[in-house]
Amino acid sequence: MTEVRPSPKLVELLRGTGPLLALTGAGVSAESGLATFRGPGGLWEGRDPTELATPQAFRDDPLTVWRFYAWRRAQAAAATPNRAHETLAALERSRGEMLLVTQNVDGLHERCGSRQVVRLHGSLWRLRCTAEGRELDDLRTDLGELPPYCDCGALLRPGVVWFGEALPEDAIEAGVRAARQAALVLVVGTSSLVYPAAELPRIAAAAGGYVVEVNPETTPLSAVADERFAGPAGEVLPALLEAAGLSSEASS
Ligand code: OAD
């Protein structure tokens, strides 16, 4: 077990009522069995996912990109939220003023009961018409014949943000606003390499927020963070709440 000894300052902030921002990445879902982007097991059929998650890859070969996303949908549907998702949902319930900004597209935070969720990189469970830009929810685990087409006859694409694409404006604005106001920022399971998501904790730190990183590995944020816990989020987050005398149970 990772030893988790939060500072008195962090305990005070966890118990307090000031605005809280949590920023999450693929590492939060690692303990649910979903591969991270840059870690071991991150390859799909021997290919680097970051090369498939691009508009160019979709233009060149929509079928392969869709097979990759159909596989990710199936993986995500079969996965269950873990203690890290549960603890973040419990924290929101216990303090109210908390925004969870995620780079994850798997939907596990929402399935676990987090309510105030901003999805910076979209969702696996949304499809977008490549002609009309219209988006629709689609929770099916089996999309049928790939690639899927819209009623209008155009190709559908996954409702996610690909490399080289702009993030949804309202999502990044909400993230920046929360970062400027946050008394405490929990940065969990992200390599802090992909911008603009990686900018949010830096904005918060510049505005006086207390930045805490939870990640077994060091990242470019580690030097900026006020406090760091080098362990799996599913162990560290419940232990942090416990140390602060808060419940980390999903149903409490
Ligand atoms: P990465 O795969 O880049 O990083 C995952 C991070 O999680 C790494 O720093 C790991 O050390 C850490 N990690 C692994 N297991 C963990 C655990 N059990 N608990 C806590 N941390 C753990 O994933 P992201 O940072 O999410 O973008 O990647 C950012 C974006 O790049 C993704 O949203 C995606 C990707 O390409 C798009 O698709 C646009």
Side-chain angles (χ1 to χ4, degrees), residues 191-203:
S191 57
S192 290
L193 290 170
V194 177
Y195 282 76
E199 192 66 39
L200 295 178
R202 292 167 189 277
I203 292 173

Side-chain angles (χ1 to χ4, degrees), residues 93-112:
R93 262 194 312 279
S94 78
R95 66 186 293 142
E97 201 177 350
M98 166 171 161
L99 187 69
L100 196 160
V101 176
T102 188
Q103 298 165 86
N104 298 345
V105 294
D106 55 35
L108 290 182
H109 283 303
E110 296 90 329
R111 262 172 61 194
C112 198

